[in-house]
Amino acid sequence: MQIENYIDGKFVPPLHGSYLKNSNPAENTVIATIPNSTVDDVEMAVTSANNARVVWSAYTLEERIGWLRKIATALDSRKSEVAMLESVDTGKPIKLAERVDASRSVRNFNFFADHAENLTQLRYEMSDATNYVIRKPVGVVGLITPWNLPLYLLTWKIAPALVMGNTIVAKPSELTPMTANLLCEILASINFPRGVINIVHGLGNEVGQAIVEHPDVKAISFTGGTATGKIVAATAAPLFKKLSLELGGKNATIILDDADLSAAAKGAARAAFTNSGQVCLCGSRILVADKVYDEFVDLLVAEVKNMTVGNPKLANTDIGSVISQDHMEKVLSYIELAINENGRLLTGGEPLSLPEPNSTGAFMSPTLISEIAIDSRCATEEIFGPVATIHRFDSDKQAIEMANQTEYGLAGSVWTTDIPRGKALAEQIESGILWINTWLHRDLRTPFGGVKNSGLGREGGDWSLNFFSELTNICVKDD
Ligand code: TXE
């Protein structure tokens, strides 16, 4: 399949005719080619987005909300195709792609349509004057997204950007172009106004960099690695662009001594290994109260051993392949390092060779490592694969210190039957998001984002609408 860029409402080849291969990591087969676009393709996309600004911002908020609902309906009618493509592109199990990626992509459009519909008019009364706040579009915005939740994260940015009247130049990860392309097919099928959404495929340091640098792109919403986030920030800062960075994480799952250990073991396994640990919110460090350590670890190991690693196309597969052979090598090198750092391998730790058609896929078993120092490289660096480290603590105070002993600060979860105790602990973790007795339970109205090296700013609900709009305050003196 040859994928093209989607610019000005049309599928167009890269101006310099160069293409990149795109593989299915579970079968190690080439499934598509995508444009190896350059700054010239980005220029064409930004021009198209600029030209579309007048048309798109002339629509009323209600009309833009209507368009979001049209996209949601059309996307929903092809939901199973979204899930199949996402599974083929990433190696994730089809049931995960259906339950998470496809349904959340539709929900993102409906959520922001609903949220914008209930937008509160901001007014501030004074004794002798009235202030009212209006929202204006930022203009052309740049959206750059990673390979772990491709359409889920792209639509999470597209929906609020659209409803606030902006036009878009977006670059999906070069590893996962398929569902972004399907979205473009859907936009074409509903005659979505041309030039409002432009997708340019290609490499990050070429196409991504060009989007961030372009003087007409006034805001950048980026999700990806911290290292890349630093490059994006350095490029955007002197240009005074609005910047939202959702970066890496090294999140703690904290098991208190009064937790329901069976529920906590299930929760900790899910938090560690969903999407093969390739979610920035994954609980990759599991901190366990001394008193319940042995019992909990036995339950956790049993949970993990019970996970089926298999062909992502099969409904009973819990864990598919990771995103690429290269990434698997990176993850395996961390396991080797952990052993050298005196870690103890409790389960997993090696690549798996599955029957055809997956015999050369990037499969590895979910891995738990204990007895490794909390300040070891494996317990402080983001591995972003099916690997979690386990650590003991002997007081809530120590659990907080250990949880905060990382350069990241995105998310975490606390498992306890004493809610006030759990809340008191959660509030002292340096993160943007904490769950108590659950994980990845999402209300899209809440602020989403991290602190420290996990990013800059918040998205979600009003925070997305504020990011993708320029607020103007008008103060009217009473006569
Ligand atoms: O992210 P990258 P990737 C972490 C995780 C993972 C690492 C790399 O540690 O191993 O990031 O994953 C584009 N200017 N997370 O490769 O490289 C790139 O093409 C502008 C956590 O996905 O940061 C892609 O579209 N753009 C993360 C996007 O940035 C550039 C989820 C992300 O690529 C660029 C995924 C540049 N100079 C990975 N260089 C999370 N928080 O969810 C690359 N890109």
Side-chain angles (χ1 to χ4, degrees):
M1 176 183 183
Q2 181 157 307
I3 285 176
E4 305 293 7
N5 290 328
Y6 184 72
I7 297 176
D8 208 28
K10 294 184 292 296
F11 288 98
V12 292
L15 290 172
H16 301 292
S18 162
Y19 285 84
L20 297 165
K21 289 192 172 76
N22 175 48
S23 300
N24 165 352
E27 301 183 3
N28 204 10
T29 50
V30 175
I31 50 176
T33 54
I34 67 167
N36 185 14
S37 304
T38 70
V39 61
D40 298 332
D41 301 291
V42 169
E43 182 57 40
M44 195 162 79
V46 173
T47 301
S48 154
N50 250 331
N51 294 342
R53 280 179 58 196
V54 173
V55 166
W56 188 241
S57 53
Y59 278 109
T60 64
L61 179 65
E62 288 65 34
E63 287 166 334
R64 293 199 295 265
I65 288 169
W67 273 116
L68 257 60
R69 294 202 196 288
K70 273 196 202 118
I71 297 173
T73 304
L75 194 58
D76 191 50
S77 70
R78 295 181 67 173
K79 224 158 80 164
S80 52
E81 208 178 330
V82 171
M84 183 275 292
L85 287 177
E86 211 69 295
S87 174
V88 161
D89 221 355
T90 60
K92 73 175 73 189
I94 184 68
K95 70 178 180 186
L96 181 67
E98 285 164 356
R99 185 165 46 82
V100 173
D101 300 73
S103 52
R104 176 65 187 276
S105 299
V106 176
R107 190 163 149 236
N108 285 338
F109 285 106
N110 282 323
F111 167 73
F112 280 108
D114 295 344
H115 200 73
E117 215 157 47
N118 304 317
L119 206 53
T120 44
Q121 294 309 316
L122 299 172
R123 296 177 76 88
Y124 302 89
E125 301 292 348
M126 300 168 80
S127 57
D128 61 348
T130 299
N131 297 275
Y132 66 98
V133 182
I134 59 172
R135 293 175 185 276
K136 296 178 184 172
V138 175
V140 176
V141 299
L143 311 179
I144 299 172
T145 46
W147 46 255
N148 63 326
L149 296 160
L151 195 60
Y152 170 129
L153 290 171
L154 180 60
T155 53
W156 177 241
K157 299 175 190 291
I158 285 181
L162 279 186
V163 83
M164 288 290 100
N166 303 287
T167 57
I168 291 164
V169 177
K171 191 200 87 66
S173 171
E174 56 278 23
L175 300 179
T176 52
M178 306 293 272
T179 47
N181 186 61
L182 178 62
L183 179 64
C184 297
E185 288 177 3
I186 284 171
L187 295 174
S189 72
I190 61 172
N191 297 319
F192 188 73
R194 48 187 277 235
V196 175
I197 297 178
N198 302 277
I199 305 280
V200 184
H201 293 279
L203 298 174
N205 57 13
E206 174 95 39
V207 175
Q209 187 74 19
I211 292 171
V212 177
E213 282 173 356
H214 199 293
D216 292 353
V217 174
K218 301 299 182 195
I220 299 292
S221 176
F222 170 85
T223 297
T226 293
T228 312
K230 288 179 180 170
I231 299 170
V232 171
T235 308
L239 302 167
F240 299 118
K241 297 188 183 206
K242 292 186 87 170
L243 198 53
S244 171
L245 297 173
E246 305 291 347
L247 306 177
K250 191 70 178 181
N251 312 303
T253 298
I254 301 172
I255 313 297
L256 297 188
D257 55 15
D258 62 5
D260 167 347
L261 294 185
S262 160
K266 285 180 174 46
R270 183 171 157 261
F273 298 111
T274 294
N275 204 37
S276 292
Q278 298 168 134
V279 180
C280 53
L281 300 165
C282 275
S284 50
R285 294 180 297 150
I286 304 170
L287 314 185
V288 188
D290 239 351
K291 233 170 77 182
V292 296
Y293 182 88
D294 294 338
E295 187 186 352
F296 174 79
V297 170
D298 288 349
L299 289 167
L300 178 64
V301 170
E303 279 297 324
V304 176
K305 283 185 182 303
N306 201 21
M307 291 178 159
T308 305
V309 182
N311 183 340
K313 292 193 167 106
L314 301 179
N316 71 331
T317 292
D318 298 312
I319 295 189
S321 77
V322 294
I323 188 67
S324 68
Q325 294 290 347
D326 288 352
H327 191 55
M328 185 167 76
E329 292 315 315
K330 171 184 166 186
V331 175
L332 290 172
S333 72
Y334 270 107
I335 295 171
E336 205 178 320
L337 175 67
I339 307 300
N340 297 338
E341 291 181 313
N342 303 318
R344 182 172 160 225
L345 199 55
L346 295 181
T347 181
E350 73 283 326
L352 293 177
S353 176
L354 302 184
E356 285 307 338
N358 305 114
S359 60
T360 56
F363 290 89
M364 60 179 289
S365 42
T367 302
L368 288 172
I369 297 164
S370 65
E371 296 170 30
I372 188 167
I374 193 71
D375 60 355
S376 62
R377 280 188 55 202
C378 285
T380 50
E381 295 174 16
E382 186 186 41
I383 299 172
F384 216 63
V387 179
T389 55
I390 307 176
H391 311 267
R392 291 168 183 268
F393 64 84
D394 59 15
S395 69
D396 290 13
K397 182 170 176 296
Q398 191 188 22
I400 293 161
E401 285 161 6
M402 290 167 79
N404 290 335
Q405 196 164 335
T406 164
E407 64 184 42
Y408 294 101
L410 187 57
S413 63
V414 180
W415 298 78
T416 175
T417 47
D418 178 344
I419 298 305
R421 180 184 176 198
K423 286 165 74 174
L425 195 146
E427 289 165 14
Q428 296 178 67
I429 308 292
E430 295 160 355
S431 288
I433 303 147
L434 274 303
W435 283 284
I436 296 179
N437 297 329
T438 186
W439 178 74
L440 202 59
H441 193 40
R442 292 275 292 116
D443 180 330
L444 305 187
R445 295 168 298 176
T446 58
F448 181 95
V451 297
K452 303 196 292 189
N453 282 4
S454 288
L456 187 66
R458 296 293 184 272
E459 296 187 2
D462 289 349
W463 289 270
S464 291
L465 300 188
N466 289 341
F467 177 74
F468 286 115
S469 56
E470 289 298 0
L471 299 174
T472 301
N473 184 62
I474 317 278
C475 177
V476 183
K477 184 80 174 57
D478 297 345
D479 50 18

